[in-house]
Amino acid sequence: MNIAEISKRISAIKAEDLIGENEMVKAAVLIPLILREGHWHILFEERSRHLRSQPGDICFPGGKMEATDRSPREAAIRETCEELGIRPEDLFVVGTLGRYLPSSQLIVHPYVACLQTEAFTPSAEVETLFTVPLDWLLKTEPERYAVKLQPLPEDGFPFEKIVGGKAYQWRERQIIELFYHYRDRTIWGLTARILHHFLKILRA
């Protein structure tokens, strides 16, 4: 391979491209806004207690992109309609919040939309639905707790190939978990981090 061929391939890469993006799981969620008596509320789902993954957690409508989804936006709309039992024409997408990388294996595309109906027929994945006033959220600061992540190399890790061997000083990492408590509900995890980002945009 000569430098002209190398240059041609490199020139096709955009600065915003992510290394390894093709191998990452892609998901899309939607922050649903509902207007009630002149005040905006955000709709949340409580996941079914019968689900194997995160039963009972609070979340936004959404999920993994499927091969038939032409875009993350389409995936967010499809998942929302399936989970709430509404039609695509029952919502209006305001815009995107960009891309969120909660881990090296996952990309989440959050969108914001206005719901034009409350005639919901939740799917079996949804235990209950509830709303939180946007004004309350804008005035509320979440609780913050650090979670330390300890590296644990798997059996057979080639320590002999790195400087320091088994005495290698792994760098300690941590994530900050956010908690919003509204009445008897607790919003935390990925949902709370996306919510927090959305609220920061509105305050700015």
Side-chain angles (χ1 to χ4, degrees):
M1 181 176 288
N2 58 40
I3 191 61
E5 293 171 328
I6 293 173
S7 177
K8 181 180 179 180
R9 297 192 183 202
I10 296 298
S11 64
I13 300 172
K14 300 176 183 177
E16 61 270 22
D17 288 348
L18 291 173
I19 295 175
E21 182 173 357
N22 291 337
E23 288 77 42
M24 300 173 76
V25 174
K26 297 176 178 65
V29 299
L30 190 142
I31 301 177
L33 299 174
I34 295 177
L35 187 62
R36 289 180 173 173
E37 299 179 353
H39 297 279
W40 287 105
H41 292 240
I42 296 180
L43 180 73
F44 293 91
E45 298 178 355
E46 178 185 343
R47 290 171 60 80
S48 171
R49 306 282 174 158
H50 301 292
L51 294 175
R52 287 187 295 177
S53 174
Q54 299 174 299
D57 274 4
I58 305 302
C59 66
F60 295 122
K64 288 195 293 186
M65 287 185 63
E66 297 182 356
T68 54
D69 294 322
R70 292 172 295 181
S71 67
R73 182 180 185 276
E74 187 172 286
I77 294 172
R78 175 185 55 76
E79 286 281 349
T80 298
C81 290
E82 290 175 0
E83 293 173 17
L84 299 184
I86 61 176
R87 304 165 302 168
E89 53 265 36
D90 291 328
L91 61 85
F92 169 74
V93 177
V94 177
T96 178
L97 298 182
R99 294 183 295 175
Y100 175 45
L101 277 68
S103 75
S104 59
Q105 289 85 39
L106 176 64
I107 301 177
V108 180
H109 298 260
Y111 292 84
V112 179
C114 298
L115 300 188
Q116 298 170 323
T117 182
E118 291 195 45
F120 304 127
T121 307
S123 72
E125 296 179 13
V126 181
E127 189 78 18
T128 58
L129 299 170
F130 68 97
T131 65
V132 180
L134 182 57
D135 288 344
W136 183 88
L137 288 165
L138 287 169
K139 297 173 184 175
T140 302
E141 279 300 318
E143 296 176 5
R144 291 172 166 81
Y145 297 93
V147 178
K148 294 183 179 179
L149 306 177
Q150 181 181 3
L152 293 173
E154 65 179 354
D155 292 341
F157 185 85
F159 285 104
E160 71 279 2
K161 297 183 179 181
I162 63 175
V163 176
K166 292 187 176 181
Y168 180 81
Q169 296 297 306
W170 299 94
R171 190 181 346 181
E172 185 179 276
R173 301 177 186 272
Q174 69 175 25
I175 58 174
I176 303 298
E177 290 290 359
L178 307 177
F179 288 78
Y180 289 90
H181 302 290
Y182 181 73
R183 296 181 179 175
D184 60 341
R185 311 282 189 175
T186 296
I187 303 163
W188 75 290
L190 182 148
T191 301
R193 290 195 291 273
I194 292 175
L195 173 63
H196 186 252
H197 179 67
F198 174 55
L199 296 173
K200 281 178 63 177
I201 292 172
L202 298 187
R203 291 192 191 103

